[in-house]
Every structure is written in structure tokens, then in C-alpha cells.
Amino acid sequence: MPLRSDLAIIKEWITPGSRVLDLGCGNGALLRLLRDERQVEGYGLEISPRNIVSCLQSGVNVIQLDLDKGLDDFDDQAFDYVIMTQTLQAVHFPDHLLHEVLRVGKQGIVTFPNFAYWKNRIQIGLQGKMPVSRALPSQWYETHNIHLCTIKDFQQLCRQRNIRIQEKVILDYAHRASAPITFLPNLLVQIAIYRCQRQES
Amino acid sequence: MPKSIPADSVGLVTPQTEHFDEPIELVCGQTLPCFDLVYETYGKLNARRDNALLFCHALSGDHHAAGYHSMEDRKPGWWDNYIGPGKAFDTNRYFVVCPNNLGGCKGSTGPNTINPETGKFYGPDFPLFTVKDWVSSQKRLMDSIGINQWAAVVGGSLGGMQVIQWAIDYPDQLRHALIIAAAPRLSAQNIGFNEVARQAILSDPEFHGGHYYEYNVVPRRGLMLARMLGHITYLSDDAMRAQFGRDLQTGRLSYDFDVQFQVESYLRYQGSSFVERFDANTYLLMTKALDYFDPAADFENGLPEALNQTQARFLVISFTSDWRFAPARSTEIVKALTDAQRQVSYAEVESSEGHDAFLLPNSYYTDVLNAYMAGV
């Protein structure tokens, strides 16, 4: 299976040998990549039994847990990175979880599908239907994505909550970081990847 | 009775006995001059002597974890659902060792065996042992069989507590630790249930201060009550509702104290059949071993500190409807392990079967064990 490009980008950001917590780690692909190529230690948190079994099969440490119940079992700054790939939009309290990410992690890495992507706008604006796409594959009635947001929304939340964005990568429909999207990111970007940190007060 | 042995069974098995002449000093300060451990093994030990799995049994368990002793056996060993050729603990790959714990009543030295120093039953004079003592006696067995390192130590409930103790006391002697439906220490409620069970036994007139063997009686009512109480804590409200509801044994209320509800009949049956196979003194001691288990106590109540030196990879499993050792008790173990930066995975298995779920078939539980064991 070709490596998801967002995972490849995250890998480049991770310092070898660091401690990582992956929220909503899915089948453990990112942790496996980081273990094999960045020698990281850490855990994935997952709620789905099928994903738990996949993680165990690939020897990834996985803890079955409902992210909506928070990260109370983890101490402040216990991990170098807390990562959330395509998870933020699927939890009940994204703002609270983002706070928890930066409490438990020295840095947070967050990716999400940009809801303001032009193809989504066409589906809503012209066809009058909830978007279904590669980044948002499910129908509205079965999707886990209950808190979709846009690049603008996310950056606004970061400003409001004193979260400093240290690095950002935006990818178009082909998951490339092409030149045009830097001019109109909220329109042209399908997936955004942020590395952020709590602003020192 | 099995008409024929199923293909995925370890088949007919025979217990073995190992005698240990070296005295064993127990945590309570007393010493046993010598002792026997009865155990069963399934599968073959490989040439490197490192494919062995140790199974630690729970309160009322014993060395008979899988297979049958004879074609007349009504049921196979207690963990036969998961131990056997092609099963989660695959006896084609692993050499399984399961001892009857020291102080047990199924052949290992315990209250119902003869004290060589007096020629009489140990009875109530059998010293109060702890989980730590069990682990050190199991280590002796490991050495005498000639196992270099356990591939994994595995246990449910009180057995899971022995797994924790193994990882702490002999960090380099096991590669994996599977802790199932366990707790890092008992709660006040857990101890409360144990105390009621003990009082039921101790107040039985046929207990005779624990010397009942000499009177040719057993404290039948006390042990039966203890088991009936224990059994309620092994089941969930839902499981009891589904199995018995308020169904009547006799069809109508009889306005007396005979068995009327099916749940009463079931508990009485469980209690009285337990009396036939278990020793009251052992039950008292086992519940005490449960109450005393608290590995964090040696580390100023810090469980992460207790687990800090462990080297094994851990798999912790709990069951949603288990209220004896609820999932929250397992996550205490998981939290301590992540705080101590140990390798740990955790699965919370959906089940309506209560504490007993760890013994019963369950597809997710099976998938979790299979997936994890593939990497052991």
C-alpha cells in the first residue's frame, strides 16, 4: 500500500528517538512507520476493535480508549509529540481535545480535511448535497466526522486559544503541495497538516 | 464426557509432580522445609528452551488448564477455550506449563497435605502465603524444568496478579506479560466480599478451627455459602437476568424457604459442587493472598515505580460487564505502565458475562489474543 502522503510529511517532522502518542491511530500505520524509521516509542489510542486487532498484529502498542473521555490518564508534557491525523473532526469536543493534546504533548501535530475545499463547496453550493469525496468518503448519515471545520476555522481557534502554529503543510486533491494552493488555501486545499505548540504566556 | 477428543484439544493429559527439597522462606516470615508442586504441560519445549508459556490460575483454579484427564471427564480444563493446537495459545508453537499453586488443594503442598514434621495435615497451621510466594515457587519450577525464559506469563483475575508480580520480581525472565481481568490491588468492596466468604467458613460448626480433617467432616455449609457469594460476583446483573430472570423452578411460589427461583437452585448447585472439589482452608488462604496483593506497597504506593524495572511487553485485557475487577481497575495498571514508559497494549472487550468472561468464548477477545500472540 502506498504511504499516505500526510504520514510521510509527519515522519519528516519527528525527531528520531522521541516519545509519541497517536490519538485515533487507526491500524497503526503511522506508529509503525515512526517506529521503523524514527525509532520512536509510544502508544496509539483507538476505540475501534478492528483497528486494535490490526495494531496488535503489527506489534504497535495500542490502548483501547474513547478520546471523548479525555486524556486524564496521561500526565502533562509526557510525550514529545501528540499526533491526531484525521481525528479532530470525529470527536465530541475538538477544542477540549486540542487543549489536551498540547497539555500531554510538548508539540501537537494535527491533520484534518478542509471542509471549505472547492469541490465540497460545489457539492453543497451547487448540488445542495453534503460532500462525499476521497477525504470525506462517508455519507452524512454514517460519517464519524461530526465536527468538520475549515482551514480558517482551525487557525482562528488556534489564535483564540493561544496556540502557536509552528509549521503547516497543505495538500491539494492529489495530496501534493503545489504552488497555486498557497494563494487560496481555504479554497484549494483538501488536507491540512499543522505542527503546533502552546504559546508561552 | 467427550465422546471423542476434539481436534483442537490438547487431548488426554496427566499431571506431574515436582518435589523441592530446598526450604522456601515465605513473606509472612515462616519457612516451609520442602514442598511439592503439581503441574501440567502441553506442547513441546524447543531446543532453545524459550517457547514456554506459564499460566497462573485464579482463586478456585488449578493445574488442569486444558484437555481431559479421562474420557469420563464431563468438562475439559478451565482455559480449554484458549489453549490447544491452533488456539490462541497454540500448543503446536508453545510449551505450556500450568502449576497448582502452593497452598492449593489439588496436590501441591497445602493445608490438605501432610506436614512432614508432624505427620499430620497442615490444616490451619499452613502458613499464610502471598502472590509473591507463589511467584518464587513457580520460579523454582521453571528452573527445575529447565526453562531459560518464559515467552509469556499469562493469567486471569488472581492469575493476572501473579503475572504482574512475575514482571516485577523477575524482570528478565519473561518476554511478555498478559494480565487479564485483574486489578493492581483489591478495593474495600473486594476485601469486603472476601471477608464475608471467610466468615461463612470460619463460623461453620464443622470447621473445628481448621482441623476438620481429623473429625472426618468438611465445613460444607460455610464453603458452600462462600462459593455462592463469590459466584454472584463473577456474573453480571445482565448475565443473571438473561440466564435465570425470575423463572421459577417449581412453576409457582410455595411460600416457604425451599428453592423456588432458578437462580437459587443454580447457586446452591454451584456451592455444593464446589464443596466436593475444594478445600475450605485453601479458600481462606487464597482470599487472603488476594487481599494482601499490593505490589505498589513496597514502592511507597507508587505502582509506576513498582513497574519501572519491568522489561516485559504487556497486554492488559478487561471486560465491560466485569464489576469484580472492572475495566477501570485494568486501566490503573495501564496508566502505571505508560507512566513508567513500559511497552503496553490494552483491550476492553465488550461482554455481558461479567468477571467470568475471561474464561468464555468471545470473538473479539479471541482476535486480540491471536493478534498479540502472533508477535510473541
Side-chain angles (χ1 to χ4, degrees), chain B residues 10 33 44 82 88 110 135 140 156 162 185 197 203 222 244 260 285 290 316 329 333 343 349 359 361 372 376:
Chain B
V10 297
K44 286 199 175 66
Y82 295 99
V135 168
R140 300 257 192 113
Q162 294 161 62
R185 64 171 86 162
S203 60
F244 313 108
Q260 289 162 56
L285 291 167
L290 266 166
V316 180
R329 310 307 315 280
I333 301 169
Q343 308 273 350
V349 176
L359 298 165
Y372 188 84
V376 168

Side-chain angles (χ1 to χ4, degrees), chain A residues 19 35 41-43 48-50 52-54 56-65 72-75 78-79, chain B residues 313-315 331 334-335 337-349 364 367-369 371-372 374-375:
Chain A
R19 283 179 54 75
R35 177 193 66 195
E41 298 230 338
Y43 314 96
S48 137
R50 189 191 298 178
I52 298 276
V53 170
S54 298
L56 292 174
Q57 266 159 354
S58 41
V60 164
N61 290 325
V62 64
I63 293 169
Q64 188 164 354
L65 182 128
D72 290 351
D73 279 349
F74 298 95
D75 293 342
F79 294 88
Chain B
R313 282 184 84 105
F314 290 83
L315 175 64
T331 56
V334 174
K335 176 175 167 39
L337 286 165
T338 56
D339 284 352
Q341 306 191 4
R342 303 296 92 192
Q343 308 273 350
V344 56
S345 287
Y346 169 62
E348 189 177 307
V349 176
Y364 177 43
D367 289 347
V368 165
L369 290 176
Y372 188 84

Side-chain angles (χ1 to χ4, degrees), chain A residues 115 120-132 139:
Chain A
F115 199 65
N120 295 343
R121 296 190 194 201
I122 285 178
Q123 288 189 45
I124 286 198
L126 295 181
Q127 299 171 345
K129 294 179 68 126
M130 282 299 282
V132 176
Q139 292 289 343

Side-chain angles (χ1 to χ4, degrees), chain B residues 206-253:
Chain B
E206 294 190 326
F207 183 64
H208 296 292
H211 293 286
Y212 46 89
Y213 318 98
E214 291 155 34
Y215 294 81
N216 276 322
V217 291
V218 286
R220 157 171 288 278
R221 279 161 293 180
L223 186 54
M224 181 172 160
L225 279 175
R227 180 61 171 180
M228 287 168 77
L229 178 70
H231 214 87
I232 297 169
T233 70
Y234 304 148
L235 302 174
S236 69
D237 188 17
D238 281 348
M240 291 181 87
R241 200 183 303 249
Q243 197 173 345
F244 313 108
R246 293 177 52 85
D247 294 351
L248 295 174
Q249 192 78 356
T250 48
R252 59 189 185 85
L253 298 177

